[in-house]
Amino acid sequence: EVQLLESGGGLVQPRGSLRLSCAASGFIFPNYAMSWVRQAPGKGLEWVSTLSGSGGSTYYADSVKGRFTISRDNSKNTLYLQMNSLRAEDTAVYYCAKGGQLGEAFDIWGQGTMVTVSS
Amino acid sequence: DIQMTQSPSTLSASVGDRVTITCRASQSISGWLAWYQHKPGKAPKVLIYDVFSLESGVPSRFSGSGSGTEFTLTISSLQPDDFATYYCQQYNTYSPTFGQGTKVEIK
């Protein structure tokens, strides 16, 4: 079964850091781009970042550029999101999704992990 | 970034109704458009990709159409399981963007 399982969310103070993980199973992980998409409370879906299958190409939304870093370990079938300098407006459910390259929809999603930035 | 505008924002309908949701892009996105269904506390689910293509396992009552900058999602006969929020999304650029969502409520 194709599955994505996020972890690492929690409560963090403003200007703090957090690292999210996404464990993938059921498909050949290195063959696919992977992405993070978030949903703030009461808001819609917002794309955050995409990483190519090889890890050689990264893309970020302007709202997180310079603060967040996407990475992957293809030997562990795991995607990461390192979030630094967190702000209240980063509070959201963060979803891991398969896909996101040019011409690619997000065809598999995880259940999400909640990140709350508050003092 | 390409802006995606959905209408309506909220839609009240009854079981069995035909429902249409519209999505307009701020510039041409060729054929790179998807529709997602999202229920509270659940993972979003792709319904339609590449404007027209039905994702495997998705009921045939869902269909997509359009071209250029204007696109529609149609549910031919609304079922109880279809009450949810629907999003369009363009993937014609390296900065994919979503519409603001359309909540389909029970009338």
Side-chain angles (χ1 to χ4, degrees), chain A residues 12-25:
Chain A
V12 60
Q13 292 190 335
R15 296 175 300 280
S17 297
L18 208 58
R19 188 177 84 154
L20 306 183
S21 299
C22 170
S25 58

Side-chain angles (χ1 to χ4, degrees), chain A residues 103 105-107, chain B residues 31-36 45-60 62-66 71-73 91:
Chain A
F106 302 114
D107 62 348
Chain B
W32 304 127
L33 182 105
W35 291 95
Y36 301 87
K45 174 185 172 184
V46 65
L47 303 172
I48 303 283
Y49 61 95
D50 298 353
V51 180
F52 309 102
S53 299
L54 192 68
E55 178 73 0
S56 176
V58 173
S60 59
F62 291 92
S63 64
S65 64
F71 304 90
T72 59
L73 172 71
Y91 41 100

Side-chain angles (χ1 to χ4, degrees), chain B residues 35-94:
Chain B
W35 291 95
Y36 301 87
Q37 179 191 68
H38 194 200
K39 297 180 180 180
K42 303 278 190 170
K45 174 185 172 184
V46 65
L47 303 172
I48 303 283
Y49 61 95
D50 298 353
V51 180
F52 309 102
S53 299
L54 192 68
E55 178 73 0
S56 176
V58 173
S60 59
R61 63 181 180 273
F62 291 92
S63 64
S65 64
S67 64
T69 62
E70 190 130 348
F71 304 90
T72 59
L73 172 71
T74 300
I75 308 172
S76 60
S77 177
L78 198 66
Q79 298 302 301
D81 191 49
D82 300 338
F83 292 97
T85 300
Y86 294 84
Y87 294 91
C88 63
Q89 179 238 334
Q90 67 80 18
Y91 41 100
N92 188 54
T93 70
Y94 289 106

Side-chain angles (χ1 to χ4, degrees), chain A residues 37 39 43-47 50 59-62 95 100-112, chain B residues 1 32 34 36 38 41-46 49-50 55 87 89 91-100:
Chain A
V37 177
Q39 184 178 36
K43 303 292 185 181
L45 298 171
E46 179 191 18
W47 168 76
T50 296
Y59 309 93
Y60 296 96
D62 288 344
Y95 297 98
Q101 288 264 49
L102 203 63
E104 237 181 23
F106 302 114
D107 62 348
I108 303 295
W109 296 67
Q111 295 286 339
Chain B
D1 286 357
W32 304 127
Y36 301 87
H38 194 200
K42 303 278 190 170
K45 174 185 172 184
V46 65
Y49 61 95
D50 298 353
E55 178 73 0
Y87 294 91
Q89 179 238 334
Y91 41 100
N92 188 54
T93 70
Y94 289 106
S95 297
T97 46
F98 293 88
Q100 81 278 16

